[in-house]
Amino acid sequence: MTRKQRRLAIIGSCGFVLAIAAALVLFAMRDSIVFFHGPSDVIDKSIQAGTRFRLGGLVKEGSVVREGQTVTFDVTDTSKQVRVTYTGILPDLFREGQGVVTEGVLQAGGLFKADSVLARHDENYMPREVADALKKQGHWQQAPAKPQS
Amino acid sequence: MLIWVIFAALLGAAVLVALLPLSRGSMRPVMNADARLMYEAQLADIGQDLSRGVISAADGELAKAEVARRLIRAAKDGDVAADAVGEATYRRRRAASAIILSTIPLVALSLYAAKGSPLLPAKPLAARLSADPANMDLAVALTRVENHLQLNPSDGRGWEVLAPIYLRTGRFDDAARAYANVAIHLGPTMERLVDVGEARVLAASGVVTADARAAFDEARKLAPLNAKALYYLAIAREQDGDKAGAVADLKSLLASAPADAGWKPMVEERIATIEGAPQVPQGGEAIAALAPQDRMAAIRGMVDGLSVRLSERGGTAEEWGRLVRARTVMGERKLAEEALAKARAALASDAAGLASVESVARESGLEVRP
Amino acid sequence: MLVEIAHFSLALALGLSLVQMVIPIWGVRRNDMALARVGEPAAVGVFLLLFFAFSVLMYAYAVSDFSVQNVAENSHSAKPFIYKLTGTWGNHEGSMVLWVLILSLFGALVALARKSLPDRLRSGTLAAQASVTVAFLLFILFTSNPFNRLDPAPPEGNDLNPILQDLGLAIHPPLLYIGYVGFSITYAFAIAALIDGRIDAVWARAVRPWTLAAWLFLTLGIAMGSYWAYYELGWGGWWFWDPVENASLMPWLAGTALIHSTIVMEKRDSLKVWTILLAILTFSLSLLGTFLVRSGVLTSVHTFATDPQRGLFILIILMVFIGGSLALFAWRAPMLRQGGLFAPVSREGTLVINNLFLAAACGTVFIGTLYPLALEGLTGAKISVGPPFFNATFLPLVIPLLLLLPFGQSMAWKRGDLLGTAQRLATAIIIGVVATVMIFAVTYGGPVAAPLGIGLGVFLIASAVWDLGERIIARASGFRAILSRAAGLPRSAYGSAMAHAGVGIMVIGIAATAWATEDIAVMKPGDRLSRGGTTIIMQQIFPRTGPNYRELVGRFAVEVDGKERGVIDSMKRTFITRNNMQTTEAGIRSFGPSQLYVSLGEIQPDGTSVGVRMYTKPLILLIWIGSIVMAFGGALSITDRRFRVAAPAKPRAKAGAGGPHPQPAE
């Protein structure tokens, strides 16, 4: 092979691999990305049933109903709420009145069927999405700062 | 003082370390010699491999040729001609020394000065705990016991230690709970139940509430009540409007008291207060049953009484603490501060007592200046 | 007083680092050896000062000195002693001090490595390294000072997040940091080369051990983090494509590419500009990882505190170092002497392909991690890019890379022969295919991915072993000759074979996750839960008290194929010192490389039964064993005598196409 051919071969293979990578990324972007919505978004924007997304907010006080392994509860941003059903074991820090992020599919009746409820790592930690959704509703206050002394 | 000496020593060491290469005055210029040495070592290495038979002769020759090529190229890149060590060099090194001598102390001292607290001693927990009990940080000890009890809530002895501390620091609600735990885990006795009742009374700013009375009633079932319980029950009668009955009870309590009982003056005083106090409106009900503002007024009356008594005749540290706490609970900050000031004066000779009053004040959110 | 001296040492270290940054560069430019040498004692001095500061901080934690704000906020007197110590870096400030400590450790090592580095390169490197130290010391002193004091000292501390009270935490961050920060040395080497305008095989040779060291610690750190998440979070998952995990994966991918490209540079004196760029990018990605984790842009367990001021500061550091180095690169790189071109089918050609795939894979992770942030910044829409995205992009790039790896490994330099290589690999290919077919037949009806993946793993291991065996045995006759060849083979050859076999082991472990099972049940004492041949029988639920927590223990008897195999304790812990926060401690029992994993869910309202998750995880330990083998391979390569005396390339002496790769979960 001549020098020129060699150079072409190398540049060509670089271009080929990069093109494949770009194609994969674009393809995956279309199919496997999940949006995040707060309860108000879900109701106001009338999201279609069958859409997969993440729903975040606070677990409404007194709304948790357990039936064997299935749990239903309301996720609220204090103005609107969406009923969620989930089958499985909840994370350690799932509590009424606490922030939660769930991922699943909206059913026809407005029920959100979650297949995962995200655990939080720390009792002081509010998922950023939830904090933002609450801020939007004007109900978010910065958690009281740790005492400094 | 020592700390400044250490800072100076560290600073000196750091500056010296940086100056070292300058002072040693290595005049060897930077050269490419290292690269050449490296390739020469590589050639020697190949020779060694060849003699051990690790690589074939052909491979070895190839490798040697390649290294030799690199060696020639490195040599061609050339030794960078060394600057003559002249005036310029010395000037440069003096400048570098000046930079080192100025930068390091300037940066270190200014940054440390901004945030450091050179005079603040270390406070490892062990030292704080083993300190002389008189100066021991009460809050530290308290937290330790509390942690222990949170993990071992059924340790009645622990609650027994904790309860009086709560009482002394004016945390009456916690004291009541702690005494109740003592009764639960070590078994109820008359004395323990009376302690529960007393803490409840104190928690209600001196009012014998229904809860407190229930505790005394329980206690009565176990053994004849002690003087403390009888005293509170007499107060309860007074609250219910039965002043004559209260005075009679208190008097019989006095009569049965041993001659050296420390609480005698207190009972006498109480009798005097009741007899001297204006009549509660007829049909007088328990303070607890009064309308909120009336109840407040009644409690305030009691607190004021306490204040007057303490100011005029003095009292124990415990009483001063109770007064300070009561004042802050009722939102009378000014009066609370006043009470604290008076307590300071009154307890000037009693350091431990004063400390306990001050810790109550701190607990209640008052600013305590030494 | 110690604490204050440590605080002063921190400030002093900054002053000394400034000197280390400025004077040597001046010396190099002026050819004044004395000035250039200033960096060496300074680097050692900075290390000693920071070592002292960090030790004192650790001591403050050990004795619970709550007059130190950092200790009061992150420790507790009742915390077990070991976690008091590890808690030193379980928080933002402490971990940043550890960061610069490791930074200075590498600086000191470079300063002391007198024999193996040319003077100019060492001085320039120390200066560049010091600039990073200066930036992070400023960051610590201005926004994250661990030595702030409290007066009066609070009686008790706030305690450490219980999820971080674990031995995994003791090991994971330091390993990861050594990896992250280790790449700063490679970066400093690149900057020094750019400033000096001189880059050659000597440079590549000098950089390689440092890169390998950083890489091997990063490998261990990532593996440790993954194992920690696996047993501590109680979901049985080991890789979540969490942005924070991605932040450590990106420098790893770039670093892996760098290890391989320096081989080409060293042996063939080519790929120079790309290697320099890669060195800069690798450390930039490490910095980016630090920024993502520390700034609070992402929320995760690693985000100790979110403070916009800190985020801004790190962002500025990020821009200065990445922007500055890339600008320097754009300015100076064209002046570097280009290396020669080479044949596409050759060892160096396969290494280029390796770099290409690794860079592309790194790019997809980069996009998947940053795209949501960019989108939210631009349009406000919130999206989450999860495992589906990475499985669809990362896997298709990594699988061909792994398939090609053995070819690169056994191809000749300069002029390779594809067919000949394939013939040499025939045995390994056959072993891989046979393994696939056999496993497929045995588990017929099960997931197809598992046998295919295991076949790939077997192929990788077999080819690594085969290649090594061939080098030892071929052209040698007699036992003695074989022994002598085996002894003569450079350690780096063993190292790379081992690393590549480690990749194979890991691939097998990952592929076997397709067989993992998950069962959920509500159980009370006496209940049984079975899957396959494995049964757990709940024996009892009872409370227990630990040093700073209380826990509910579920005790299960384990039966495998009808035989008793001991008990598993699975816990639900409540940390009284942290607001009654709960954590799950999974009960795990290993059977060879396979594991049985039982975690407790919620206590049912009746109080006697509890939700239980039982996972069987066949061969799961191979994932981490594979990583350790990889890291060990890296360590073996470093000990190669040739790095120290800087011996040359013997044709065909060193291996290494293809790169080890962690793969996505599930």
Side-chain angles (χ1 to χ4, degrees):
Chain A
M1 274 199 278
T2 66
R3 206 177 160 75
K4 198 173 175 188
Q5 279 171 323
R6 285 182 179 186
R7 180 166 290 167
L8 272 180
I10 289 169
I11 292 174
S13 59
C14 289
F16 181 68
V17 173
L18 291 181
I20 288 183
L24 285 171
V25 166
L26 289 177
F27 176 75
M29 281 287 173
R30 227 182 36 209
D31 282 7
S32 50
I33 276 180
V34 182
F35 278 82
F36 176 91
H37 300 293
S40 292
D41 296 340
V42 176
I43 289 158
D44 299 343
K45 293 184 192 160
S46 55
I47 288 170
Q48 284 188 335
T51 316
R52 185 175 184 80
F53 60 94
R54 281 189 175 187
L55 172 72
L58 299 175
V59 180
K60 194 175 178 192
E61 301 266 3
S63 71
V64 178
V65 179
R66 289 188 167 80
E67 223 172 290
Q69 288 291 301
T70 302
V71 186
T72 50
F73 52 91
D74 289 340
V75 169
T76 173
D77 53 14
T78 66
S79 80
K80 303 273 170 55
Q81 61 205 43
V82 173
R83 190 117 188 108
V84 177
T85 168
Y86 171 73
T87 301
I89 292 183
L90 290 164
D92 292 334
L93 290 164
F94 179 89
R95 300 260 170 80
E96 290 189 355
Q98 298 274 14
V100 70
V101 174
T102 63
E103 184 172 331
V105 178
L106 193 65
Q107 308 293 301
L111 183 70
F112 187 75
K113 194 161 194 289
D115 44 33
S116 71
V117 173
L118 299 193
R120 299 172 310 146
H121 290 298
D122 186 308
E123 81 276 17
N124 297 320
Y125 159 60
M126 173 74 72
R128 205 165 47 90
E129 293 91 341
V130 174
D132 287 349
L134 290 177
K135 263 184 211 151
K136 250 196 251 171
Q137 298 301 323
H139 287 293
W140 168 256
Q141 282 150 352
Q142 204 62 40
K146 277 181 187 169
Q148 294 297 302
S149 56
Chain B
M1 194 58 224
L2 177 62
I3 196 162
W4 298 109
V5 176
I6 295 175
F7 284 178
L10 272 176
L11 196 56
V15 171
L16 269 185
V17 149
L19 287 176
L20 209 62
L22 295 179
S23 64
R24 252 194 330 214
S26 156
M27 299 305 171
R28 190 162 69 90
V30 178
M31 289 197 313
N32 233 18
D34 309 83
R36 258 189 354 221
L37 283 175
M38 186 174 300
Y39 286 125
E40 274 157 16
Q42 290 184 2
L43 281 176
D45 198 48
I46 297 174
Q48 217 173 29
D49 277 1
L50 271 171
S51 65
R52 275 197 310 169
V54 181
I55 50 174
S56 69
D59 279 354
E61 286 314 312
L62 254 170
K64 268 188 171 173
E66 174 134 7
V67 174
R69 265 202 304 279
R70 288 183 193 167
L71 178 56
I72 290 163
R73 196 190 300 149
K76 213 163 46 193
D77 276 355
D79 299 348
V80 182
D83 282 3
V85 178
E87 188 52 34
T89 313
Y90 287 123
R91 215 181 305 135
R92 189 163 55 234
R93 290 184 187 178
R94 270 199 301 276
S97 307
I99 291 175
I100 292 170
L101 276 168
S102 57
T103 310
I104 296 181
L106 203 69
V107 169
L109 289 173
S110 61
L111 279 176
Y112 176 76
K115 288 280 183 60
S117 337
L119 300 177
L120 198 59
K123 288 183 180 160
L125 194 62
R128 290 165 81 183
L129 283 178
S130 63
D132 178 17
N135 333 325
M136 182 157 99
D137 198 334
L138 190 63
V140 173
L142 199 59
T143 328
R144 287 287 275 206
V145 181
E146 280 173 345
N147 283 338
H148 165 78
L149 286 172
Q150 260 184 309
L151 279 172
N152 308 287
S154 58
D155 179 3
R157 297 266 165 233
W159 289 113
E160 208 167 22
V161 172
L162 196 56
I165 301 181
Y166 280 147
L167 212 55
R168 213 173 310 136
T169 52
R171 292 167 65 180
F172 302 120
D173 280 323
D174 292 328
R177 207 169 322 118
Y179 276 125
N181 278 326
V182 176
I184 291 167
H185 297 297
L186 297 181
T189 63
M190 185 273 292
E191 284 85 1
R192 285 174 186 149
L193 287 172
V194 167
D195 285 339
V196 174
E198 182 185 29
R200 284 177 183 165
V201 170
L202 294 175
S205 303
V207 177
V208 182
T209 58
D211 275 353
R213 207 176 300 193
F216 294 131
D217 289 342
E218 280 295 309
R220 196 199 302 275
K221 286 182 198 151
L222 298 172
L225 285 176
N226 60 11
K228 206 192 305 183
L230 291 172
Y231 171 75
Y232 283 117
L233 285 174
I235 307 267
R237 284 190 93 153
E238 184 207 343
Q239 280 175 26
D240 291 344
D242 181 5
K243 284 187 138 189
V247 171
D249 281 358
L250 288 174
K251 284 192 170 149
S252 75
L253 185 58
L254 267 184
S256 67
D260 57 346
W263 43 265
K264 264 173 124 171
M266 187 173 135
V267 176
E268 283 161 357
E269 178 197 329
R270 188 78 199 187
I271 294 171
T273 318
I274 297 173
E275 286 177 333
Q279 193 76 27
V280 175
Q282 51 169 313
E285 288 163 326
I287 293 180
L290 292 175
Q293 63 267 44
D294 297 345
R295 195 186 313 159
M296 206 57 212
I299 294 172
R300 180 162 292 135
M302 290 170 65
V303 175
D304 288 343
L306 181 64
S307 169
V308 168
R309 178 169 67 80
L310 287 177
S311 309
E312 288 172 357
R313 273 171 281 174
T316 63
E318 194 179 319
E319 285 169 319
W320 280 111
R322 207 179 304 158
L323 177 62
V324 170
R325 184 165 181 88
R327 288 297 192 202
T328 52
V329 165
M330 293 191 302
E332 297 165 333
R333 229 186 135 73
K334 266 242 164 66
L335 291 174
E337 277 162 6
E338 228 166 73
L340 180 60
K342 280 184 191 162
R344 279 220 178 87
L347 298 172
S349 59
D350 176 10
L354 183 55
S356 84
V357 174
E358 281 179 344
S359 95
V360 170
R362 241 188 305 265
E363 297 255 341
S364 320
L366 284 188
E367 210 169 301
V368 178
R369 278 178 305 270
Chain C
M1 191 166 78
L2 268 181
V3 174
E4 293 304 317
I5 298 173
H7 190 169
F8 184 72
S9 306
L10 211 56
L12 194 54
L14 176 63
L16 203 50
S17 299
L18 277 168
V19 167
Q20 185 192 340
M21 176 171 88
V22 177
I23 306 284
I25 286 285
W26 192 14
V28 168
R29 302 299 299 174
R30 298 273 170 197
N31 284 314
D32 189 332
M33 191 62 201
L35 293 192
R37 275 266 157 89
V38 167
E40 295 165 30
V44 176
V46 169
F47 168 70
L48 291 176
L49 287 170
L50 291 177
F51 181 76
F52 174 74
F54 187 75
S55 308
V56 168
L57 186 61
M58 205 169 202
Y59 172 76
Y61 268 90
V63 299
S64 296
D65 185 344
F66 296 128
S67 70
V68 180
Q69 185 180 357
N70 188 244
V71 179
E73 281 175 7
N74 299 292
S75 194
H76 191 280
S77 61
K79 192 162 68 167
F81 186 71
I82 177 81
Y83 300 136
K84 284 184 188 168
L85 294 185
T86 65
T88 314
W89 58 82
N91 61 82
H92 172 77
E93 290 83 356
S95 72
M96 288 321 293
V97 179
L98 181 65
W99 217 92
V100 285
L101 173 65
I102 295 173
L103 203 59
S104 68
L105 170 66
F106 274 93
L109 287 175
V110 169
L112 295 173
R114 296 201 148 210
K115 273 184 79 181
S116 63
L117 287 176
D119 283 336
R120 296 179 70 92
L121 183 56
R122 181 174 50 239
S123 299
T125 304
L126 285 176
Q129 175 83 355
S131 66
V132 185
T133 314
V134 165
F136 276 90
L137 279 175
L138 282 172
F139 174 66
I140 291 176
L141 284 166
F142 281 108
T143 71
S144 322
N145 195 325
F147 295 117
N148 280 347
R149 303 291 297 275
L150 293 175
D151 189 28
E156 190 52 274
N158 284 350
D159 208 357
L160 179 67
N161 183 346
I163 214 159
L164 301 178
Q165 293 188 23
D166 184 274
L167 271 185
L169 176 82
I171 311 167
H172 162 66
L175 288 176
L176 205 62
Y177 280 8
I178 295 176
Y180 269 179
V181 179
F183 285 121
S184 70
I185 278 292
T186 330
Y187 170 87
F189 272 114
I191 298 297
L194 284 174
I195 290 176
D196 201 25
R198 194 187 305 250
I199 178 164
D200 49 21
V202 176
W203 185 91
R205 160 95 36 185
V207 165
R208 233 170 99 69
W210 302 99
T211 318
L212 272 170
W215 175 87
L216 92 87
F217 280 106
L218 191 56
T219 308
L220 287 176
I222 295 174
M224 194 57 237
S226 146
Y227 187 60
W228 173 60
Y230 166 75
Y231 72 73
E232 177 70 24
L233 298 185
W235 319 326
W238 57 276
W239 190 263
F240 304 99
W241 291 109
D242 179 276
V244 171
E245 288 170 325
N246 295 345
S248 64
L249 182 62
M250 288 189 279
W252 189 88
L253 290 168
T256 310
L258 183 61
I259 291 176
H260 292 95
S261 79
T262 49
I263 300 177
V264 178
M265 186 163 156
E266 180 197 332
K267 298 282 158 57
R268 305 286 308 137
D269 210 20
S270 102
L271 278 191
K272 288 180 184 179
V273 175
W274 164 247
T275 303
I276 291 277
L277 180 63
L278 206 50
I280 291 173
L281 287 182
T282 305
F283 184 59
S284 300
L285 288 169
S286 297
L287 281 180
L288 180 73
T290 310
F291 167 68
L292 289 180
V293 174
R294 289 273 160 268
S295 64
V297 170
L298 305 169
T299 38
S300 89
V301 64
H302 299 80
T303 317
F304 299 122
T306 56
D307 178 341
Q309 197 196 353
R310 287 176 185 165
L312 190 66
F313 208 121
I314 299 191
L315 192 63
I316 292 171
I317 293 181
L318 199 70
M319 289 193 305
V320 167
F321 282 95
I322 299 180
S325 57
L326 289 180
L328 185 67
F329 177 80
W331 174 43
R332 302 286 290 194
M335 301 177 200
L336 297 174
R337 190 170 38 221
Q338 285 286 337
L341 273 171
F342 43 74
V345 180
S346 63
R347 171 76 70 84
E348 51 270 42
T350 60
L351 285 170
V352 170
I353 292 175
N354 147 297
N355 267 237
L356 208 52
F357 274 102
L358 282 170
C362 185
T364 61
V365 177
F366 184 84
I367 291 171
T369 309
L370 292 190
Y371 178 69
L373 295 176
L375 189 70
E376 191 183 337
L378 294 176
T379 69
K382 292 190 181 64
I383 58 168
S384 83
V385 174
F389 173 84
F390 294 101
N391 290 342
T393 55
F394 190 74
L395 282 185
L397 288 171
V398 166
I399 290 173
L401 174 64
L402 293 178
L403 281 169
L404 289 175
L405 187 158
F407 289 88
Q409 184 177 251
S410 40
M411 196 170 285
W413 289 99
K414 285 189 175 170
R415 232 171 249 103
D417 172 6
L418 202 56
L419 199 64
T421 310
Q423 275 169 355
R424 268 210 302 283
L425 285 174
T427 318
I429 295 174
I430 290 168
I431 292 175
V433 170
V434 168
T436 307
V437 171
M438 274 173 50
I439 294 168
F440 186 70
V442 171
T443 64
Y444 184 73
V448 186
L452 285 176
I454 290 179
L456 174 60
V458 170
F459 169 53
L460 287 170
I461 299 169
S463 60
V465 174
W466 188 258
D467 184 60
L468 207 56
E470 204 189 39
R471 284 190 207 189
I472 294 170
I473 296 165
R475 280 177 292 164
S477 54
F479 186 61
R480 195 167 289 243
I482 288 174
L483 269 190
S484 126
R485 277 188 75 90
L489 211 55
R491 290 229 190 113
S492 60
Y494 288 109
S496 71
M498 189 170 230
H500 291 157
V503 180
I505 294 173
M506 180 190 240
V507 167
I508 293 177
I510 293 168
T513 55
W515 289 325
T517 64
E518 175 180 354
D519 290 278
I520 301 181
V522 174
M523 297 176 78
K524 56 180 183 297
D527 284 356
R528 303 168 70 88
L529 180 58
S530 299
R531 166 66 69 150
T534 309
T535 305
I536 55 171
I537 303 128
M538 177 173 264
Q539 292 183 324
Q540 51 175 329
I541 311 179
F542 58 96
R544 201 156 62 183
T545 303
N548 54 345
Y549 57 81
R550 298 158 80 181
E551 63 186 0
L552 195 72
V553 184
R555 179 161 289 173
F556 301 87
V558 181
E559 278 180 13
V560 178
D561 299 326
K563 263 182 264 158
E564 295 248 349
R565 299 295 292 268
V567 294
I568 283 185
D569 278 353
S570 193
M571 280 81 76
K572 198 108 195 146
R573 272 186 195 160
T574 307
F575 282 78
I576 49 128
T577 49
R578 272 294 275 237
N579 231 348
N580 291 330
M581 175 171 169
Q582 284 201 326
T583 66
T584 302
E585 304 291 315
I588 299 177
R589 205 174 162 79
S590 302
F591 301 100
S594 306
Q595 290 193 322
L596 175 64
Y597 183 115
V598 180
S599 68
L600 295 186
E602 284 178 297
I603 313 299
Q604 298 300 306
D606 61 15
T608 57
S609 56
V610 62
V612 174
R613 272 186 283 196
M614 176 180 84
Y615 302 90
T616 59
K617 300 270 179 192
L619 305 183
I620 184 108
L621 282 180
L622 291 186
I623 295 173
W624 300 293
I625 293 173
S627 338
I628 292 170
V629 171
M630 275 157 65
F632 196 75
L636 208 56
S637 288
I638 297 179
T639 63
D640 194 318
R641 197 172 42 92
R642 272 144 230 282
F643 284 139
R644 271 171 283 146
V645 296
K650 273 182 301 181
R652 293 224 353 81
K654 264 189 215 139
H661 272 273
Q663 274 196 336
E666 283 87 34

